[in-house]
Amino acid sequence: AEEVGGGDKEVVRQYFNNDGFQRWRRIYGDTDEVNKVQKDIRLGHSKTVENVMKMLLDEGPLSGVTVCDAGCGTGCLSIPLAKEGAVVAASDISAAMVAEAEKQARDELLQSNGELSPGLVLPKFEVNDLESLNGKYHTVVCLDVLIHYPQNKADAMIAHLASLANDRLILSFAPKTFYYDLLKRVGELFPGPSKATRAYLHAEADVERALQKVGWKIRKRGLITTQFYFSRVVEAIPA
Ligand code: SAM
């Protein structure tokens, strides 16, 4: 298979505006146009979203809480956050993803009269590379995006996300412990060069070290696994 990616953001952007957009929109959606592997990834990812919503809600209601959803994809997390009354800033490097997320958010959040339920705010959507984000949010979340970052780029990425958060940062990544498992399955995960970007797995210790370097510590951990999907979720807070 072609070795693409590395730190090549342009490749990732291209992928998620084209083949990757089509593929992941189906996986993250609810139609039948998915094969068995994709269906399994859909299930795993939806468990990650549930797990993160629970982690967040366990600390109190989200109404009025500002949340930055970096690399929002089709809005799988932004939309449930908005349904809880969070004030969401959702962004993604892919314009196609952002357009889809915005469409889905309007479909799901607006009532038939075109208005929002009282207390809800439509997420603010933006096409943006997460390194270019600025501002301060109560909470920053970044789900299943680290897979596009080699470890030497991940530290700076984690540091930047932490700098945007006042109270907590939630990250999910494919843990390196499952490397050999994943290798066996990677053929099915990324079937063919045209559909592939490189997938980077991360050791939990490396992510933890990157957080510690900028004065953050892990408060909660979750692990989501299905047959073809592995995701470690960590919630970090200022140390
Ligand atoms: N976070 C979403 C979720 O869990 O439903 C989407 C996860 S999807 C596997 C990865 C997303 O990260 C894609 O939508 C991709 O465009 C986005 N992405 C990758 N690199 C990015 C970057 N440097 N800045 C912003 N978004 C990025």
Side-chain angles (χ1 to χ4, degrees), residues 21 27 39 54 56 68 71 83 120 146 151 174 213:
F21 170 66
I27 292 175
K39 204 170 186 173
K54 186 175 181 321
L56 290 169
C68 167
K83 284 182 177 166
L120 301 196
L146 262 169
Q151 191 56 44
K213 255 188 357 201

Side-chain angles (χ1 to χ4, degrees), residues 211-225:
L211 286 162
Q212 278 165 357
K213 255 188 357 201
V214 291
W216 285 63
K217 64 174 186 209
I218 295 178
R219 170 165 74 176
K220 289 182 202 158
R221 296 166 210 261
L223 181 66
I224 291 92
T225 69

Side-chain angles (χ1 to χ4, degrees), residues 129-145:
D129 173 1
L130 67 85
E131 273 76 23
S132 309
L133 296 175
N134 46 43
K136 279 281 187 186
Y137 303 87
H138 177 282
T139 300
V140 174
V141 285
C142 187
L143 297 193
D144 294 3
V145 179

Side-chain angles (χ1 to χ4, degrees), residues 165-176:
N166 282 324
D167 286 64
R168 63 187 165 193
L169 169 61
I170 293 191
L171 290 171
S172 74
F173 56 94
K176 222 171 196 166

Side-chain angles (χ1 to χ4, degrees), residues 183-202:
L183 261 194
K184 277 186 249 150
R185 294 162 174 155
V186 88
E188 287 173 88
L189 274 170
F190 298 101
S194 70
K195 291 178 188 163
T197 57
R198 270 196 70 170
Y200 297 96
L201 308 174
H202 297 275

